[in-house]
Amino acid sequence: MIKVYQYMPGWSVSCISPYVSKLYNYLTMTGLPFEMVQQEFARLQEDAPRGKLPYIVDDDGTVVPDSTEIILYLKGKYGDPLDGDATPEERASMVAWSRMIDEHTYWCGVIQPRWRMDEGWEVYVPIIAQSKEVPGELRAALDAFRAHIRDEFDKQGMGLKSDEDVFETFKVDVDAIETFLGDKPFFMGEKPRSIDASLFSILTHTMEAPFAWPGRDYIRGKASFAPYLERMRAKYDLTLPFVSYA
Protein backbone atom coordinates (compact mmCIF):
# COMPACT_ATOMS: atom_id res chain seq x y z
CA MET A 1 0.00 0.00 0.00
CA ILE A 2 1.20 3.53 -0.82
CA LYS A 3 2.23 5.44 2.30
CA VAL A 4 1.62 9.19 2.18
CA TYR A 5 3.55 11.20 4.73
CA GLN A 6 1.61 14.17 6.09
CA TYR A 7 1.60 16.74 8.89
CA MET A 8 -1.78 16.55 10.66
CA PRO A 9 -5.45 17.13 9.80
CA GLY A 10 -7.24 20.39 10.49
CA TRP A 11 -10.76 21.79 10.14
CA SER A 12 -12.25 19.83 7.18
CA VAL A 13 -8.97 19.03 5.40
CA SER A 14 -7.02 15.78 5.46
CA CYS A 15 -3.80 17.68 6.21
CA ILE A 16 -2.90 21.28 6.98
CA SER A 17 -0.70 21.24 3.86
CA PRO A 18 -2.71 21.99 0.70
CA TYR A 19 -0.21 19.88 -1.23
CA VAL A 20 -0.79 16.83 0.96
CA SER A 21 -4.55 17.42 0.70
CA LYS A 22 -4.22 17.62 -3.09
CA LEU A 23 -2.52 14.20 -3.12
CA TYR A 24 -5.09 12.75 -0.70
CA ASN A 25 -7.84 13.98 -3.01
CA TYR A 26 -6.16 12.52 -6.09
CA LEU A 27 -5.64 9.11 -4.50
CA THR A 28 -9.22 9.06 -3.24
CA MET A 29 -10.55 10.05 -6.67
CA THR A 30 -8.55 7.34 -8.45
CA GLY A 31 -9.33 4.62 -5.90
CA LEU A 32 -5.69 3.71 -5.34
CA PRO A 33 -5.15 2.15 -1.90
CA PHE A 34 -3.09 4.37 0.39
CA GLU A 35 -2.30 5.03 4.02
CA MET A 36 -1.76 8.45 5.60
CA VAL A 37 1.27 8.47 7.92
CA GLN A 38 1.97 11.38 10.23
CA GLN A 39 5.51 12.61 9.76
CA GLU A 40 7.53 13.17 12.92
CA PHE A 41 8.19 16.89 12.64
CA ALA A 42 11.58 16.72 14.38
CA ARG A 43 12.79 14.31 11.67
CA LEU A 44 11.33 16.14 8.69
CA GLN A 45 14.68 17.27 7.29
CA GLU A 46 16.16 13.79 7.68
CA ASP A 47 13.18 11.79 6.38
CA ALA A 48 11.67 13.92 3.62
CA PRO A 49 13.76 13.93 0.41
CA ARG A 50 13.51 17.72 0.12
CA GLY A 51 12.61 18.53 3.70
CA LYS A 52 8.96 19.08 2.74
CA LEU A 53 5.71 17.15 2.58
CA PRO A 54 4.19 15.23 1.02
CA TYR A 55 6.38 12.38 0.00
CA ILE A 56 5.33 8.80 -0.59
CA VAL A 57 6.87 5.40 -0.06
CA ASP A 58 5.47 2.94 -2.59
CA ASP A 59 5.07 -0.81 -2.07
CA ASP A 60 8.45 -1.54 -3.61
CA GLY A 61 10.20 1.06 -1.46
CA THR A 62 10.31 3.80 -4.10
CA VAL A 63 10.33 7.24 -2.47
CA VAL A 64 8.86 10.16 -4.41
CA PRO A 65 8.60 13.78 -3.18
CA ASP A 66 6.37 16.71 -4.25
CA SER A 67 2.64 16.37 -4.91
CA THR A 68 2.93 17.11 -8.64
CA GLU A 69 5.82 14.69 -9.17
CA ILE A 70 4.03 12.05 -7.11
CA ILE A 71 0.90 12.30 -9.27
CA LEU A 72 2.99 11.99 -12.44
CA TYR A 73 4.70 8.94 -10.95
CA LEU A 74 1.36 7.37 -10.00
CA LYS A 75 -0.05 7.97 -13.47
CA GLY A 76 2.98 6.33 -15.04
CA LYS A 77 2.92 3.27 -12.79
CA TYR A 78 -0.78 2.71 -12.10
CA GLY A 79 -2.52 4.30 -15.08
CA ASP A 80 -4.38 7.55 -15.56
CA PRO A 81 -8.12 7.09 -14.95
CA LEU A 82 -8.83 10.79 -14.54
CA ASP A 83 -6.84 12.33 -17.41
CA GLY A 84 -6.22 9.41 -19.74
CA ASP A 85 -8.68 10.64 -22.34
CA ALA A 86 -7.98 14.36 -21.92
CA THR A 87 -7.17 16.33 -25.06
CA PRO A 88 -3.79 18.04 -25.48
CA GLU A 89 -5.53 21.38 -24.95
CA GLU A 90 -7.08 20.17 -21.69
CA ARG A 91 -3.73 18.89 -20.49
CA ALA A 92 -2.05 22.21 -21.27
CA SER A 93 -4.79 24.12 -19.47
CA MET A 94 -4.52 21.89 -16.41
CA VAL A 95 -0.77 22.44 -16.23
CA ALA A 96 -1.30 26.21 -16.23
CA TRP A 97 -4.08 26.13 -13.60
CA SER A 98 -2.10 23.76 -11.41
CA ARG A 99 0.94 26.02 -11.55
CA MET A 100 -1.18 29.04 -10.57
CA ILE A 101 -2.86 27.29 -7.65
CA ASP A 102 0.30 25.65 -6.31
CA GLU A 103 2.79 28.44 -6.87
CA HIS A 104 0.74 31.62 -6.64
CA THR A 105 -2.68 31.22 -5.01
CA TYR A 106 -1.02 29.21 -2.26
CA TRP A 107 1.14 32.15 -1.24
CA CYS A 108 -1.53 34.84 -1.26
CA GLY A 109 -4.43 32.69 -0.02
CA VAL A 110 -2.80 30.26 2.41
CA ILE A 111 0.49 31.68 3.71
CA GLN A 112 -0.89 35.20 4.19
CA PRO A 113 -3.70 34.43 6.69
CA ARG A 114 -1.93 31.61 8.55
CA TRP A 115 1.68 32.61 8.79
CA ARG A 116 1.90 36.36 8.21
CA MET A 117 -1.14 37.67 10.09
CA ASP A 118 -0.65 37.53 13.86
CA GLU A 119 -4.32 36.81 14.56
CA GLY A 120 -4.29 33.93 12.08
CA TRP A 121 -1.09 32.55 13.55
CA GLU A 122 -2.64 32.41 17.02
CA VAL A 123 -5.49 30.32 15.59
CA TYR A 124 -3.06 28.12 13.66
CA VAL A 125 -0.67 27.25 16.52
CA PRO A 126 -3.16 25.01 18.42
CA ILE A 127 -4.06 23.27 15.14
CA ILE A 128 -0.42 22.44 14.46
CA ALA A 129 0.08 21.42 18.10
CA GLN A 130 -3.22 19.50 18.06
CA SER A 131 -4.06 20.92 21.45
CA LYS A 132 -5.42 24.12 22.96
CA GLU A 133 -2.55 23.99 25.43
CA VAL A 134 0.80 24.55 23.72
CA PRO A 135 3.92 23.97 25.87
CA GLY A 136 6.45 26.78 25.87
CA GLU A 137 9.20 24.76 24.19
CA LEU A 138 6.89 23.71 21.37
CA ARG A 139 5.58 27.26 21.01
CA ALA A 140 9.15 28.56 20.66
CA ALA A 141 9.89 25.96 17.97
CA LEU A 142 6.73 26.87 16.07
CA ASP A 143 7.48 30.58 16.27
CA ALA A 144 10.96 29.88 14.89
CA PHE A 145 9.46 27.86 12.05
CA ARG A 146 7.04 30.70 11.39
CA ALA A 147 10.01 33.04 10.94
CA HIS A 148 11.42 30.59 8.38
CA ILE A 149 8.13 30.48 6.44
CA ARG A 150 7.84 34.26 6.49
CA ASP A 151 11.39 34.49 5.13
CA GLU A 152 10.34 32.19 2.26
CA PHE A 153 7.24 34.37 1.80
CA ASP A 154 9.48 37.41 1.35
CA LYS A 155 11.89 35.63 -0.95
CA GLN A 156 9.01 34.42 -3.13
CA GLY A 157 8.02 38.08 -3.48
CA MET A 158 4.47 37.92 -2.17
CA GLY A 159 5.62 38.80 1.34
CA LEU A 160 7.04 42.08 0.09
CA LYS A 161 3.54 43.30 -0.73
CA SER A 162 1.29 45.07 1.75
CA ASP A 163 -1.59 43.15 3.29
CA GLU A 164 -3.98 45.06 1.05
CA ASP A 165 -1.99 44.22 -2.09
CA VAL A 166 -1.84 40.53 -1.16
CA PHE A 167 -5.62 40.55 -0.78
CA GLU A 168 -6.04 42.19 -4.19
CA THR A 169 -3.72 39.60 -5.71
CA PHE A 170 -5.78 36.81 -4.16
CA LYS A 171 -8.97 38.30 -5.57
CA VAL A 172 -7.57 38.17 -9.10
CA ASP A 173 -6.80 34.45 -8.73
CA VAL A 174 -10.22 33.73 -7.23
CA ASP A 175 -11.99 35.64 -9.99
CA ALA A 176 -10.08 33.71 -12.64
CA ILE A 177 -10.96 30.36 -11.05
CA GLU A 178 -14.61 31.34 -10.71
CA THR A 179 -14.83 32.49 -14.32
CA PHE A 180 -13.30 29.30 -15.66
CA LEU A 181 -15.42 27.02 -13.46
CA GLY A 182 -18.63 28.84 -14.36
CA ASP A 183 -21.60 26.51 -14.18
CA LYS A 184 -19.66 23.39 -15.21
CA PRO A 185 -20.04 20.37 -12.90
CA PHE A 186 -16.27 20.02 -12.62
CA PHE A 187 -13.40 22.32 -13.43
CA MET A 188 -12.73 21.05 -16.94
CA GLY A 189 -16.31 20.14 -17.75
CA GLU A 190 -18.60 17.15 -17.27
CA LYS A 191 -15.87 14.78 -16.10
CA PRO A 192 -13.63 15.14 -13.04
CA ARG A 193 -9.96 15.52 -13.85
CA SER A 194 -6.80 15.55 -11.74
CA ILE A 195 -6.99 19.35 -11.55
CA ASP A 196 -10.10 18.92 -9.41
CA ALA A 197 -7.88 17.41 -6.71
CA SER A 198 -5.97 20.71 -6.66
CA LEU A 199 -9.04 22.92 -6.84
CA PHE A 200 -10.87 21.04 -4.09
CA SER A 201 -7.77 21.39 -1.93
CA ILE A 202 -7.28 25.14 -2.37
CA LEU A 203 -10.99 25.85 -1.86
CA THR A 204 -11.21 23.88 1.37
CA HIS A 205 -7.96 25.41 2.58
CA THR A 206 -9.27 28.94 2.03
CA MET A 207 -13.07 28.86 2.24
CA GLU A 208 -13.40 26.50 5.19
CA ALA A 209 -10.31 27.47 7.19
CA PRO A 210 -10.79 29.18 10.58
CA PHE A 211 -8.64 32.20 9.70
CA ALA A 212 -10.71 35.38 9.59
CA TRP A 213 -9.39 37.67 6.86
CA PRO A 214 -10.87 39.51 3.86
CA GLY A 215 -9.80 36.77 1.44
CA ARG A 216 -11.96 34.18 3.18
CA ASP A 217 -14.97 36.47 3.03
CA TYR A 218 -14.30 37.15 -0.63
CA ILE A 219 -13.99 33.53 -1.75
CA ARG A 220 -17.01 32.50 0.32
CA GLY A 221 -19.01 35.08 -1.62
CA LYS A 222 -18.52 33.21 -4.91
CA ALA A 223 -21.78 31.39 -5.62
CA SER A 224 -20.31 28.55 -7.68
CA PHE A 225 -17.77 27.29 -5.16
CA ALA A 226 -19.93 25.80 -2.40
CA PRO A 227 -22.02 23.73 -4.89
CA TYR A 228 -18.79 22.55 -6.50
CA LEU A 229 -17.50 21.31 -3.14
CA GLU A 230 -20.83 19.57 -2.55
CA ARG A 231 -20.59 17.81 -5.93
CA MET A 232 -17.07 16.63 -5.21
CA ARG A 233 -18.05 15.32 -1.79
CA ALA A 234 -21.10 13.61 -3.22
CA LYS A 235 -19.04 11.82 -5.87
CA TYR A 236 -16.00 10.94 -3.76
CA ASP A 237 -15.42 10.04 -0.13
CA LEU A 238 -13.84 13.39 0.72
CA THR A 239 -15.98 14.26 3.75
CA LEU A 240 -13.77 14.37 6.84
CA PRO A 241 -14.54 14.98 10.52
CA PHE A 242 -14.22 18.66 11.37
CA VAL A 243 -11.17 19.26 13.57
CA SER A 244 -11.05 22.28 15.86
CA TYR A 245 -8.87 23.30 18.79
CA ALA A 246 -10.63 26.60 19.53
Side-chain angles (χ1 to χ4, degrees):
M1 183 176 292
I2 300 164
K3 292 184 178 180
V4 178
Y5 285 80
Q6 65 160 351
Y7 294 104
M8 64 283 297
W11 55 100
S12 61
V13 295
S14 57
C15 180
I16 57 174
S17 163
Y19 304 118
V20 177
S21 293
K22 165 187 161 183
L23 180 57
Y24 174 94
N25 297 339
Y26 178 82
L27 286 164
T28 301
M29 292 168 70
T30 58
L32 287 170
F34 68 98
E35 174 188 2
M36 300 295 284
V37 180
Q38 186 161 332
Q39 170 67 43
E40 183 181 347
F41 189 75
R43 290 190 50 82
L44 179 62
Q45 296 300 319
E46 291 80 8
D47 294 346
R50 296 175 188 163
K52 296 182 178 182
L53 300 182
Y55 68 93
I56 65 165
V57 179
D58 205 351
D59 283 338
D60 61 1
T62 300
V63 179
V64 186
D66 187 277
S67 61
T68 299
E69 293 178 27
I70 293 168
I71 290 172
L72 288 173
Y73 165 82
L74 295 174
K75 287 180 177 181
K77 182 172 181 179
Y78 298 103
D80 192 2
L82 297 177
D83 301 339
D85 61 347
T87 67
E89 291 77 11
E90 285 180 305
R91 293 176 185 277
S93 181
M94 286 191 285
V95 168
W97 283 111
S98 180
R99 293 287 191 267
M100 189 192 86
I101 291 170
D102 285 355
E103 300 177 18
H104 194 265
T105 314
Y106 166 78
W107 291 100
C108 57
V110 173
I111 297 300
Q112 169 72 11
R114 300 184 197 182
W115 297 90
R116 186 188 203 183
M117 298 173 61
D118 291 339
E119 55 269 39
W121 178 242
E122 294 306 319
V123 172
Y124 200 31
V125 167
I127 295 172
I128 301 174
Q130 297 185 287
S131 171
K132 289 193 291 185
E133 303 299 325
V134 183
E137 184 176 344
L138 176 58
R139 175 63 195 241
L142 291 176
D143 286 340
F145 193 65
R146 181 195 185 194
H148 168 71
I149 295 296
R150 291 193 60 174
D151 181 59
E152 289 189 337
F153 194 40
D154 289 346
K155 288 176 179 175
Q156 191 273 344
M158 193 70 68
L160 303 179
K161 297 184 178 185
S162 67
D163 290 344
E164 294 76 14
D165 286 345
V166 173
F167 172 48
E168 292 300 320
T169 299
F170 180 67
K171 286 168 60 177
V172 172
D173 283 13
V174 170
D175 290 349
I177 293 169
E178 179 198 29
T179 298
F180 190 82
L181 175 62
D183 60 1
K184 300 193 298 291
F186 301 101
F187 199 53
M188 300 304 296
E190 296 295 321
K191 180 180 178 179
R193 300 290 192 189
S194 62
I195 187 63
D196 288 290
S198 298
L199 181 57
F200 188 87
S201 178
I202 200 66
L203 291 181
T204 52
H205 275 267
T206 53
M207 289 177 63
E208 299 179 348
F211 313 112
W213 78 294
R216 187 181 67 172
D217 297 336
Y218 188 79
I219 197 168
R220 284 180 174 179
K222 299 299 185 180
S224 62
F225 290 159
Y228 169 82
L229 294 180
E230 291 176 5
R231 286 192 295 275
M232 286 288 290
R233 285 178 167 134
K235 187 169 182 63
Y236 301 105
D237 186 17
L238 295 171
T239 299
L240 301 165
F242 193 88
V243 176
S244 173
Y245 296 97

